[in-house]
Amino acid sequence: QVQLVESGGGSVQPGESLRLSCTLSEFTARSYSIGWFRQAPGKDREGVACIASYNDATYYSDSVKYRSTISRGSAATTVYLQMNSLKPEDTGIYYCAADTSNYGYKGFCVDPADTGAWGRGTQVTVSS
């Protein structure tokens, strides 16, 4: 069983930053592409950022590009999502997921369908 646990969410004001953490096994982190996704009430799930397993290539949604960075921690058991200049539209539940079906890090980020292993999510709220 692939297990992932998100943390680091919270309530912040527009313009502030958060760093989300996804904790997983080293095997999972290095075997599969890892992605961060989010979903707001009444909205479709959106791929935010993904990182490849083989060379750490990254992909970002246009909505967060230049404001966010996905990275692996020095310990291979963590994948971070640093989000800066947060906007109200960034509000949602953020999930990390592993591309256990080898969909591909770009394709996985764009549309994982019903594939992958998912965490339970962490809430991010951006408001005044």
Side-chain angles (χ1 to χ4, degrees), residues 61-115:
S61 167
D62 288 341
S63 63
V64 303
K65 190 178 299 181
Y66 310 121
R67 298 190 295 118
S68 301
T69 302
I70 186 170
S71 62
R72 300 184 187 275
S74 56
T77 54
T78 307
V79 176
Y80 297 107
L81 179 67
Q82 175 71 39
M83 299 192 69
N84 302 318
S85 301
L86 285 163
K87 306 173 181 179
E89 51 263 43
D90 293 319
T91 294
I93 301 175
Y94 283 68
Y95 303 87
C96 63
D99 182 20
T100 54
S101 294
N102 295 316
Y103 199 75
Y105 78 101
K106 291 182 179 179
F108 186 63
C109 223
V110 172
D111 184 12
D114 60 350
T115 66

Side-chain angles (χ1 to χ4, degrees), residues 11-125:
S11 297
V12 298
Q13 296 183 356
E16 296 185 338
S17 300
L18 283 173
R19 187 178 71 172
L20 308 182
S21 298
C22 177
T23 301
L24 67 170
S25 72
E26 181 176 354
F27 176 81
T28 299
R30 294 301 180 183
S31 297
Y32 310 112
S33 299
I34 306 298
W36 280 98
F37 300 79
R38 67 187 180 190
Q39 188 164 29
K43 301 290 185 179
D44 291 335
R45 183 179 61 191
E46 175 189 15
V48 177
C50 293
I51 186 166
S53 63
Y54 58 95
N55 65 354
D56 287 347
T58 56
Y59 174 88
Y60 297 94
S61 167
D62 288 341
S63 63
V64 303
K65 190 178 299 181
Y66 310 121
R67 298 190 295 118
S68 301
T69 302
I70 186 170
S71 62
R72 300 184 187 275
S74 56
T77 54
T78 307
V79 176
Y80 297 107
L81 179 67
Q82 175 71 39
M83 299 192 69
N84 302 318
S85 301
L86 285 163
K87 306 173 181 179
E89 51 263 43
D90 293 319
T91 294
I93 301 175
Y94 283 68
Y95 303 87
C96 63
D99 182 20
T100 54
S101 294
N102 295 316
Y103 199 75
Y105 78 101
K106 291 182 179 179
F108 186 63
C109 223
V110 172
D111 184 12
D114 60 350
T115 66
W118 297 75
R120 292 185 175 183
T122 185
Q123 177 71 45
V124 171
T125 302

